[in-house]
Protein backbone atom coordinates (compact mmCIF):
# COMPACT_ATOMS: atom_id res chain seq x y z
CA UNK A 1 0.00 0.00 0.00
CA UNK A 2 1.33 3.48 -0.86
CA UNK A 3 1.84 6.25 1.72
CA UNK A 4 -1.35 8.05 0.64
CA UNK A 5 -3.39 4.82 0.85
CA UNK A 6 -2.08 4.10 4.37
CA UNK A 7 -2.86 7.65 5.44
CA UNK A 8 -6.43 7.52 4.14
CA UNK A 9 -6.99 4.24 5.96
CA UNK A 10 -5.57 5.68 9.24
CA UNK A 11 -7.93 8.65 8.88
CA UNK A 12 -11.05 6.47 8.82
CA UNK A 13 -9.85 4.37 11.79
CA UNK A 14 -8.98 7.46 13.85
CA UNK A 15 -11.96 9.66 13.07
CA UNK A 16 -14.51 7.15 14.34
CA UNK A 17 -13.06 7.57 17.86
CA UNK A 18 -14.00 10.44 20.19
CA UNK A 19 -10.35 11.36 20.80
CA UNK A 20 -10.18 13.04 17.41
CA UNK A 21 -13.11 15.38 18.12
CA UNK A 22 -12.45 18.96 19.26
CA UNK A 23 -12.95 19.79 22.91
CA UNK A 24 -13.73 23.28 21.61
CA UNK A 25 -17.43 23.52 20.84
CA UNK A 26 -18.91 24.30 17.42
CA UNK A 27 -21.04 26.87 19.31
CA UNK A 28 -24.56 25.61 18.59
CA UNK A 29 -25.24 25.20 22.33
CA UNK A 30 -24.97 29.00 22.69
CA UNK A 31 -28.51 29.23 21.25
CA UNK A 32 -31.92 27.95 22.27
CA UNK A 33 -34.96 27.78 20.01
CA UNK A 34 -37.89 30.01 20.93
CA UNK A 35 -40.71 27.58 21.52
CA UNK A 36 -44.02 28.31 19.79
CA UNK A 37 -46.93 26.97 21.86
CA UNK A 38 -49.38 27.83 19.08
CA UNK A 39 -47.66 26.45 15.97
CA UNK A 40 -50.82 26.10 13.79
CA UNK A 41 -48.98 23.55 11.59
CA UNK A 42 -49.78 19.92 10.71
CA UNK A 43 -46.69 17.66 11.06
CA UNK A 44 -47.76 15.81 7.89
CA UNK A 45 -47.56 19.04 5.85
CA UNK A 46 -43.99 19.88 6.85
CA UNK A 47 -41.36 19.75 4.12
CA UNK A 48 -37.62 19.55 4.83
CA UNK A 49 -36.65 19.69 1.15
CA UNK A 50 -33.76 22.04 0.44
CA UNK A 51 -32.04 23.48 -2.63
CA UNK A 52 -28.39 23.62 -3.54
CA UNK A 53 -26.89 24.53 -6.91
CA UNK A 54 -30.31 24.43 -8.55
CA UNK A 55 -31.14 20.92 -7.31
CA UNK A 56 -33.85 20.02 -4.81
CA UNK A 57 -32.80 17.49 -2.17
CA UNK A 58 -34.89 15.55 0.35
CA UNK A 59 -33.15 17.26 3.29
CA UNK A 60 -30.52 19.99 3.82
CA UNK A 61 -27.84 17.40 4.49
CA UNK A 62 -24.68 17.07 2.43
CA UNK A 63 -22.59 13.98 3.20
CA UNK A 64 -19.16 15.61 3.43
CA UNK A 65 -16.21 14.41 1.40
CA UNK A 66 -14.50 11.46 3.03
CA UNK A 67 -13.19 8.22 1.67
CA UNK A 68 -11.54 6.74 -1.38
CA UNK A 69 -7.99 6.04 -2.42
CA UNK A 70 -7.27 2.77 -0.61
CA UNK A 71 -8.42 -0.76 -1.29
CA UNK A 72 -11.09 -1.03 1.47
CA UNK A 73 -12.59 2.36 0.63
CA UNK A 74 -14.68 1.00 -2.22
CA UNK A 75 -17.34 -0.69 -0.04
CA UNK A 76 -17.65 2.34 2.29
CA UNK A 77 -18.02 4.69 -0.66
CA UNK A 78 -20.46 2.20 -2.20
CA UNK A 79 -22.73 2.23 0.89
CA UNK A 80 -22.74 6.04 1.10
CA UNK A 81 -23.44 6.26 -2.64
CA UNK A 82 -26.32 3.77 -2.55
CA UNK A 83 -27.82 5.57 0.43
CA UNK A 84 -27.59 9.02 -1.18
CA UNK A 85 -29.07 7.68 -4.40
CA UNK A 86 -31.98 6.17 -2.52
CA UNK A 87 -32.64 9.22 -0.34
CA UNK A 88 -31.81 12.01 -2.79
CA UNK A 89 -28.96 13.54 -0.79
CA UNK A 90 -25.78 15.13 -2.20
CA UNK A 91 -22.38 13.79 -1.26
CA UNK A 92 -18.70 14.19 -1.93
CA UNK A 93 -16.03 11.54 -2.39
CA UNK A 94 -12.73 11.90 -0.53
CA UNK A 95 -9.66 13.48 -2.07
CA UNK A 96 -8.97 12.00 -5.50
CA UNK A 97 -5.29 12.88 -5.38
CA UNK A 98 -4.25 9.23 -4.87
CA UNK A 99 -6.37 8.18 -7.83
CA UNK A 100 -4.83 10.82 -10.09
CA UNK A 101 -1.33 9.65 -9.13
CA UNK A 102 -2.21 5.92 -9.19
CA UNK A 103 -4.90 5.26 -11.83
CA UNK A 104 -5.34 1.67 -10.50
CA UNK A 105 -7.24 3.19 -7.53
CA UNK A 106 -9.88 4.73 -9.82
CA UNK A 107 -12.34 1.90 -9.07
CA UNK A 108 -12.51 2.87 -5.34
CA UNK A 109 -14.09 6.12 -6.59
CA UNK A 110 -15.90 5.12 -9.78
CA UNK A 111 -17.98 2.61 -7.78
CA UNK A 112 -19.99 5.58 -6.47
CA UNK A 113 -21.48 6.43 -9.87
CA UNK A 114 -22.32 2.78 -10.47
CA UNK A 115 -24.11 2.60 -7.12
CA UNK A 116 -25.65 6.05 -7.44
CA UNK A 117 -26.67 6.69 -11.04
CA UNK A 118 -29.08 9.51 -10.10
CA UNK A 119 -27.24 11.12 -7.19
CA UNK A 120 -25.55 14.53 -7.01
CA UNK A 121 -21.90 13.58 -6.50
CA UNK A 122 -18.96 15.92 -5.96
CA UNK A 123 -15.35 15.30 -6.92
CA UNK A 124 -12.68 16.35 -4.40
CA UNK A 125 -9.17 17.73 -4.65
CA UNK A 126 -6.90 19.69 -2.29
CA UNK A 127 -6.22 23.36 -2.95
CA UNK A 128 -2.51 22.57 -2.65
CA UNK A 129 -2.76 20.21 -5.64
CA UNK A 130 -3.85 23.18 -7.76
CA UNK A 131 -0.63 25.14 -7.22
CA UNK A 132 1.47 25.22 -10.42
CA UNK A 133 -1.52 24.37 -12.58
CA UNK A 134 -3.74 21.34 -12.80
CA UNK A 135 -3.36 19.47 -16.08
CA UNK A 136 -6.28 18.99 -18.48
CA UNK A 137 -5.84 15.24 -18.10
CA UNK A 138 -6.17 15.45 -14.27
CA UNK A 139 -9.25 17.69 -14.55
CA UNK A 140 -10.88 15.32 -17.02
CA UNK A 141 -10.19 12.23 -14.87
CA UNK A 142 -11.30 13.99 -11.68
CA UNK A 143 -14.73 14.66 -13.15
CA UNK A 144 -15.21 11.74 -15.55
CA UNK A 145 -14.24 8.97 -13.09
CA UNK A 146 -17.41 9.66 -11.10
CA UNK A 147 -19.36 11.77 -13.64
CA UNK A 148 -19.19 14.53 -11.04
CA UNK A 149 -21.91 17.16 -10.76
CA UNK A 150 -19.52 19.58 -9.04
CA UNK A 151 -15.92 19.77 -7.84
CA UNK A 152 -15.05 20.41 -4.20
CA UNK A 153 -11.69 22.00 -3.45
CA UNK A 154 -10.62 21.44 0.15
CA UNK A 155 -8.45 23.85 2.13
CA UNK A 156 -6.51 22.14 4.94
CA UNK A 157 -3.34 24.08 5.87
CA UNK A 158 -3.64 23.08 9.55
CA UNK A 159 -3.82 19.37 8.72
CA UNK A 160 -0.93 19.58 6.26
CA UNK A 161 1.33 21.35 8.77
CA UNK A 162 0.63 18.91 11.59
CA UNK A 163 1.07 15.91 9.26
CA UNK A 164 4.79 15.00 9.22
CA UNK A 165 4.71 14.23 5.49
CA UNK A 166 2.24 17.03 4.74
CA UNK A 167 2.61 19.94 2.32
CA UNK A 168 4.39 23.08 3.49
CA UNK A 169 3.82 25.47 0.59
CA UNK A 170 0.45 27.17 0.28
CA UNK A 171 1.50 29.96 -2.09
CA UNK A 172 -0.60 29.92 -5.22
CA UNK A 173 -3.69 28.06 -3.94
CA UNK A 174 -6.02 31.01 -4.65
CA UNK A 175 -4.68 31.38 -8.21
CA UNK A 176 -5.07 27.63 -8.67
CA UNK A 177 -8.73 27.76 -7.60
CA UNK A 178 -9.36 30.74 -9.90
CA UNK A 179 -7.90 28.80 -12.81
CA UNK A 180 -10.03 25.76 -11.94
CA UNK A 181 -13.21 27.87 -11.73
CA UNK A 182 -12.42 29.26 -15.21
CA UNK A 183 -11.76 25.85 -16.78
CA UNK A 184 -14.25 23.61 -15.05
CA UNK A 185 -17.51 22.76 -16.79
CA UNK A 186 -19.13 21.90 -13.43
CA UNK A 187 -19.53 24.28 -10.44
CA UNK A 188 -16.68 24.59 -7.94
CA UNK A 189 -17.38 24.45 -4.20
CA UNK A 190 -14.66 25.41 -1.72
CA UNK A 191 -14.59 23.91 1.76
CA UNK A 192 -12.34 23.84 4.81
CA UNK A 193 -11.87 20.58 6.67
CA UNK A 194 -12.72 21.63 10.22
CA UNK A 195 -10.75 24.80 10.99
CA UNK A 196 -13.27 27.21 9.46
CA UNK A 197 -13.51 29.93 6.80
CA UNK A 198 -13.46 33.58 7.89
CA UNK A 199 -15.15 36.51 6.13
CA UNK A 200 -11.74 37.62 4.86
CA UNK A 201 -11.12 34.27 3.17
CA UNK A 202 -14.72 34.00 1.91
CA UNK A 203 -14.45 37.42 0.21
CA UNK A 204 -11.30 36.37 -1.62
CA UNK A 205 -13.03 33.19 -2.80
CA UNK A 206 -16.11 35.08 -3.99
CA UNK A 207 -13.92 37.59 -5.83
CA UNK A 208 -12.46 34.80 -8.00
CA UNK A 209 -15.88 33.39 -8.91
CA UNK A 210 -16.54 30.70 -6.29
CA UNK A 211 -20.29 30.58 -5.63
CA UNK A 212 -20.61 27.89 -2.93
CA UNK A 213 -18.64 27.94 0.32
CA UNK A 214 -18.70 25.21 2.98
CA UNK A 215 -17.29 26.78 6.13
CA UNK A 216 -16.37 23.44 7.82
CA UNK A 217 -15.61 25.15 11.11
CA UNK A 218 -14.13 23.91 14.36
CA UNK A 219 -16.08 21.89 16.91
CA UNK A 220 -16.32 18.47 15.26
CA UNK A 221 -13.43 16.48 13.82
CA UNK A 222 -10.08 18.05 14.70
CA UNK A 223 -7.58 17.29 11.95
CA UNK A 224 -4.71 18.29 14.22
CA UNK A 225 -5.89 15.57 16.62
CA UNK A 226 -6.21 13.07 13.76
CA UNK A 227 -2.70 13.75 12.45
CA UNK A 228 -1.21 13.84 15.97
CA UNK A 229 -2.83 10.45 16.50
CA UNK A 230 -0.83 9.07 13.60
CA UNK A 231 2.61 10.01 14.91
CA UNK A 232 4.72 9.23 17.95
CA UNK A 233 5.01 11.67 20.86
CA UNK A 234 8.16 13.41 19.63
CA UNK A 235 6.45 14.50 16.39
CA UNK A 236 3.18 15.72 17.88
CA UNK A 237 1.92 19.28 17.71
CA UNK A 238 -0.67 19.00 20.48
CA UNK A 239 -0.89 22.77 20.94
CA UNK A 240 -2.77 22.90 17.63
CA UNK A 241 -5.44 20.37 18.64
CA UNK A 242 -7.97 23.11 19.38
CA UNK A 243 -6.96 25.50 16.56
CA UNK A 244 -9.76 26.84 14.38
CA UNK A 245 -12.83 29.10 14.16
CA UNK A 246 -15.94 27.51 15.72
CA UNK A 247 -18.64 26.84 13.13
CA UNK A 248 -21.14 29.25 14.70
CA UNK A 249 -18.54 32.05 14.71
CA UNK A 250 -17.90 31.44 10.99
CA UNK A 251 -21.64 31.65 10.34
CA UNK A 252 -21.93 34.91 12.27
CA UNK A 253 -18.85 36.35 10.57
CA UNK A 254 -20.15 35.48 7.09
CA UNK A 255 -23.81 36.40 7.58
CA UNK A 256 -23.51 40.04 6.37
CA UNK A 257 -21.46 38.99 3.35
CA UNK A 258 -24.02 36.28 2.63
CA UNK A 259 -26.80 38.87 2.46
CA UNK A 260 -24.72 41.20 0.27
CA UNK A 261 -23.35 38.65 -2.20
CA UNK A 262 -26.04 35.94 -2.21
CA UNK A 263 -23.71 32.93 -2.46
CA UNK A 264 -24.69 29.47 -1.21
CA UNK A 265 -23.42 28.85 2.30
CA UNK A 266 -23.00 25.32 3.64
CA UNK A 267 -22.64 24.96 7.42
CA UNK A 268 -20.47 22.09 8.59
CA UNK A 269 -17.92 21.18 11.22
CA UNK A 270 -19.42 19.57 14.31
CA UNK A 271 -22.95 19.31 12.93
CA UNK A 272 -24.15 16.44 15.10
CA UNK A 273 -27.96 16.60 15.19
CA UNK A 274 -31.07 17.98 13.56
CA UNK A 275 -30.95 20.72 16.20
CA UNK A 276 -27.54 21.83 14.88
CA UNK A 277 -28.86 21.83 11.31
CA UNK A 278 -31.89 23.94 12.20
CA UNK A 279 -29.80 26.39 14.26
CA UNK A 280 -27.31 26.73 11.38
CA UNK A 281 -30.17 27.53 9.00
CA UNK A 282 -31.63 30.08 11.46
CA UNK A 283 -28.17 31.70 11.42
CA UNK A 284 -28.19 31.99 7.62
CA UNK A 285 -26.86 28.72 6.19
CA UNK A 286 -28.53 27.48 3.01
CA UNK A 287 -27.54 23.86 3.59
CA UNK A 288 -25.63 21.78 6.15
CA UNK A 289 -23.08 18.99 5.94
CA UNK A 290 -21.61 16.38 8.22
CA UNK A 291 -18.78 13.85 8.05
CA UNK A 292 -17.82 11.98 11.23
CA UNK A 293 -21.31 10.77 12.27
CA UNK A 294 -21.71 9.29 8.78
CA UNK A 295 -18.44 7.37 8.66
CA UNK A 296 -19.04 6.14 12.23
CA UNK A 297 -22.53 4.89 11.32
CA UNK A 298 -21.24 3.13 8.18
CA UNK A 299 -18.23 1.53 9.88
CA UNK A 300 -20.28 0.36 12.88
CA UNK A 301 -23.62 -0.60 11.29
CA UNK A 302 -23.34 -0.33 7.50
CA UNK A 303 -26.29 0.81 5.40
CA UNK A 304 -28.78 0.27 8.26
CA UNK A 305 -26.72 2.50 10.55
CA UNK A 306 -26.85 5.29 8.01
CA UNK A 307 -30.56 4.83 7.48
CA UNK A 308 -31.28 4.93 11.20
CA UNK A 309 -29.24 8.13 11.65
CA UNK A 310 -30.97 9.82 8.71
CA UNK A 311 -34.47 8.80 9.86
CA UNK A 312 -33.80 10.20 13.33
CA UNK A 313 -32.42 13.49 12.00
CA UNK A 314 -35.22 13.94 9.44
CA UNK A 315 -37.96 13.24 11.98
CA UNK A 316 -36.39 15.55 14.52
CA UNK A 317 -35.94 18.30 11.94
CA UNK A 318 -39.67 18.13 11.18
CA UNK A 319 -40.48 18.23 14.92
CA UNK A 320 -38.25 21.30 15.36
CA UNK A 321 -39.95 23.08 12.45
CA UNK A 322 -43.35 22.33 13.96
CA UNK A 323 -42.32 23.56 17.41
CA UNK A 324 -41.16 26.81 15.80
CA UNK A 325 -44.43 27.17 13.87
CA UNK A 326 -42.73 26.68 10.48
CA UNK A 327 -43.84 24.42 7.63
CA UNK A 328 -40.61 24.56 5.61
CA UNK A 329 -36.93 25.45 5.95
CA UNK A 330 -37.25 28.78 4.14
CA UNK A 331 -39.20 30.06 7.15
CA UNK A 332 -36.24 29.59 9.50
CA UNK A 333 -34.46 32.77 10.53
CA UNK A 334 -32.64 34.43 13.42
CA UNK A 335 -35.93 35.38 15.13
CA UNK A 336 -36.39 31.71 16.13
CA UNK A 337 -33.29 31.74 18.34
CA UNK A 338 -32.39 33.29 21.66
CA UNK A 339 -28.87 33.44 22.97
CA UNK A 340 -28.18 31.59 26.20
CA UNK A 341 -26.86 33.88 28.89
C1 LIG B 1 -12.62 9.80 7.51
C2 LIG B 1 -12.63 11.19 6.98
C3 LIG B 1 -11.93 11.48 5.81
C4 LIG B 1 -11.96 12.77 5.28
N1 LIG B 1 -11.35 13.02 4.07
C5 LIG B 1 -11.55 14.21 3.47
C6 LIG B 1 -11.13 14.42 2.13
O1 LIG B 1 -10.53 13.55 1.51
N2 LIG B 1 -11.41 15.63 1.55
C7 LIG B 1 -12.07 16.62 2.23
O2 LIG B 1 -12.38 17.67 1.65
N3 LIG B 1 -12.45 16.45 3.51
C8 LIG B 1 -12.23 15.28 4.13
N4 LIG B 1 -12.67 15.09 5.41
C9 LIG B 1 -13.15 16.25 6.18
C10 LIG B 1 -14.66 16.33 6.21
O3 LIG B 1 -15.20 16.45 4.92
C11 LIG B 1 -15.16 17.48 7.11
O4 LIG B 1 -14.90 18.73 6.50
C12 LIG B 1 -14.55 17.50 8.50
O5 LIG B 1 -14.37 16.19 9.00
C13 LIG B 1 -15.41 18.29 9.49
O6 LIG B 1 -16.71 17.77 9.59
P1 LIG B 1 -17.21 16.87 10.85
O7 LIG B 1 -16.94 17.67 12.09
O8 LIG B 1 -18.66 16.66 10.59
O9 LIG B 1 -16.42 15.59 10.82
C14 LIG B 1 -12.66 13.81 5.96
C15 LIG B 1 -13.34 13.50 7.16
C16 LIG B 1 -13.34 12.23 7.66
C17 LIG B 1 -14.10 11.96 8.94
Amino acid sequence: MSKIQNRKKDHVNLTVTNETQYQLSSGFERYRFIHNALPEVNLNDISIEAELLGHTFSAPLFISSMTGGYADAGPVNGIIAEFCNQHNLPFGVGSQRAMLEQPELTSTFSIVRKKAPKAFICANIGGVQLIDGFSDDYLKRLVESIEANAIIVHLNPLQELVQPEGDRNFKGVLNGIEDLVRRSEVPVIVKETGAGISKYVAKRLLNIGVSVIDIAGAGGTSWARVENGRTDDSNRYNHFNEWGIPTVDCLKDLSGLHWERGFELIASGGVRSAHDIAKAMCLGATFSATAQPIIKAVVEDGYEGLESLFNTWSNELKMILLLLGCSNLAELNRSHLMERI
Side-chain angles (χ1 to χ4, degrees), residues 232-253:
D232 58 41
D233 283 351
S234 59
N235 282 320
R236 284 188 181 156
Y237 291 104
N238 288 329
H239 286 114
F240 290 88
N241 284 349
E242 301 300 309
W243 181 279
I245 314 168
T247 300
V248 162
D249 292 318
C250 294
L251 278 173
K252 285 163 74 178
D253 194 26

Side-chain angles (χ1 to χ4, degrees), residues 109-274:
F109 291 94
S110 54
I111 183 172
V112 301
R113 186 47 84 191
K114 289 194 190 100
K115 297 265 180 188
K118 302 181 298 201
F120 188 94
I121 308 178
C122 295
N124 188 287
I125 194 70
V128 170
Q129 273 71 62
L130 303 177
I131 300 175
D132 300 330
F134 195 62
S135 74
D136 286 337
D137 172 53
Y138 271 23
L139 180 53
K140 194 165 178 271
R141 284 168 52 211
L142 188 76
V143 174
E144 287 185 358
S145 57
I146 56 170
E147 295 168 47
N149 299 89
I151 299 175
I152 293 178
V153 176
H154 67 262
L155 307 178
N156 64 341
L158 170 66
Q159 180 190 6
E160 295 292 345
L161 288 182
V162 176
Q163 190 179 101
E165 72 273 31
D167 287 300
R168 297 291 182 260
N169 176 25
F170 302 91
K171 266 186 170 177
V173 171
L174 192 64
N175 278 345
I177 299 174
E178 185 173 17
D179 180 51
L180 184 71
V181 170
R182 219 178 6 242
R183 288 160 57 209
S184 173
E185 286 174 11
V186 295
V188 175
I189 299 172
V190 177
K191 77 186 273 284
E192 235 289 341
T193 49
I197 289 187
S198 64
K199 181 160 96 182
Y200 170 65
V201 169
K203 263 189 188 166
R204 288 156 73 205
L205 293 171
L206 295 174
N207 289 346
I208 57 160
V210 172
S211 58
V212 187
I213 296 176
D214 178 347
I215 52 180
T221 306
S222 159
W223 282 89
R225 284 181 180 272
V226 176
E227 294 302 341
N228 280 325
R230 294 181 54 241
T231 53
D232 58 41
D233 283 351
S234 59
N235 282 320
R236 284 188 181 156
Y237 291 104
N238 288 329
H239 286 114
F240 290 88
N241 284 349
E242 301 300 309
W243 181 279
I245 314 168
T247 300
V248 162
D249 292 318
C250 294
L251 278 173
K252 285 163 74 178
D253 194 26
L254 264 64
S255 64
L257 190 65
H258 186 222
W259 269 109
E260 253 169 59
R261 308 280 287 263
F263 59 100
E264 296 191 89
L265 176 57
I266 304 176
S268 77
V271 169
R272 297 293 179 261
S273 66

Side-chain angles (χ1 to χ4, degrees), residues 97-111:
R97 177 186 174 186
M99 177 205 100
L100 296 177
E101 291 171 11
Q102 295 166 261
E104 68 274 15
L105 293 172
T106 305
S107 63
T108 69
F109 291 94
S110 54
I111 183 172

Side-chain angles (χ1 to χ4, degrees), residues 8 11-13 15-16 21-22 63-68 93-96 124-125 152-155 159 191-195 214 216-217 219-223 268-272 289-293 295:
K8 296 303 288 181
H11 288 163
V12 171
N13 293 337
T15 49
V16 296
Q21 298 296 291
Y22 276 94
I63 310 297
S64 294
S65 313
M66 282 182 285
T67 58
V93 296
S95 171
Q96 287 162 271
N124 188 287
I125 194 70
I152 293 178
V153 176
H154 67 262
L155 307 178
Q159 180 190 6
K191 77 186 273 284
E192 235 289 341
T193 49
D214 178 347
T221 306
S222 159
W223 282 89
S268 77
V271 169
R272 297 293 179 261
T290 192
Q292 195 264 2
I295 199 80

